[in-house]
């Protein structure tokens, strides 16, 4: 089993920055994709950004140029640097890890951006 623990959420003003971290523990061998999804109230969970073991990334158009996903494979940790935050970025952010066909989610961390 893989466990994911997130940190770094909080309240920030529009235009500010936050950095999220997520560390995987347990049976981490073979995790090939890590990243972040988010879910705003009344909306479906959506992709924010993901990164493979090899460093390839994919991100939502809404965050391109503002958010950067990165990964430290030695530490089994994925980061999300969020800059130029907007009120519409307010959501619960969930860490994501995929190992073969198995997906694991973190418990979620709240990000609130005030206008």
């Amino acid at each position: 089993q893989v466990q994911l623990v997130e940190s770094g959420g909080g309240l920030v003003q529009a235009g500010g920055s936050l950095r999220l971290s997520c560390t995987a523990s347990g049976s981490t061998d073979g995790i090939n994709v890590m990243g972040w999804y988010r879910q705003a109230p009344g909306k479906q969970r959506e992709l924010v950004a993901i990164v493979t073991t090899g460093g390839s990334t994919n991100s939502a158009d809404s965050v391109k140029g503002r958010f950067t996903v990165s990964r430290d494979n030695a530490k089994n940790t994925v980061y999300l640097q969020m800059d130029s935050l907007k009120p519409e970025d307010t959501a619960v952010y969930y860490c994501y890890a995929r190992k073969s066909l198995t997906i694991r989610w973190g418990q979620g961390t709240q990000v609130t951006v005030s206008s």
Side-chain angles (χ1 to χ4, degrees):
Q1 290 276 354
V2 174
Q3 294 82 41
L4 302 173
V5 177
E6 302 134 334
S7 62
L11 172 65
V12 65
Q13 288 188 331
S17 297
L18 282 175
R19 188 190 195 211
L20 306 183
S21 300
C22 172
T23 298
S25 62
S27 181
T28 58
D29 288 348
I31 293 178
N32 50 0
V33 181
M34 294 186 75
W36 299 90
Y37 281 67
R38 68 186 180 187
Q39 187 166 17
K43 294 188 176 182
Q44 290 187 329
R45 193 171 297 189
E46 63 177 5
L47 169 73
V48 178
I50 55 174
V51 55
T52 68
T53 305
S56 297
T57 62
N58 185 31
S59 59
D61 288 343
S62 60
V63 307
K64 281 188 168 91
R66 301 187 299 121
F67 291 10
T68 303
V69 64
S70 61
R71 181 172 173 177
D72 185 333
N73 292 324
K75 295 181 179 179
N76 293 311
T77 299
V78 62
Y79 306 96
L80 184 68
Q81 177 66 41
M82 304 185 291
D83 299 318
S84 302
L85 281 159
K86 304 175 181 179
E88 51 263 44
D89 294 318
T90 295
V92 177
Y93 283 69
Y94 294 92
C95 182
Y96 163 97
R98 192 180 77 206
K99 177 178 176 178
S100 185
L101 298 179
T102 301
I103 292 172
R104 289 284 181 261
W105 297 98
Q107 79 281 3
T109 185
Q110 178 70 45
V111 171
T112 302
V113 184
S114 63
S115 56

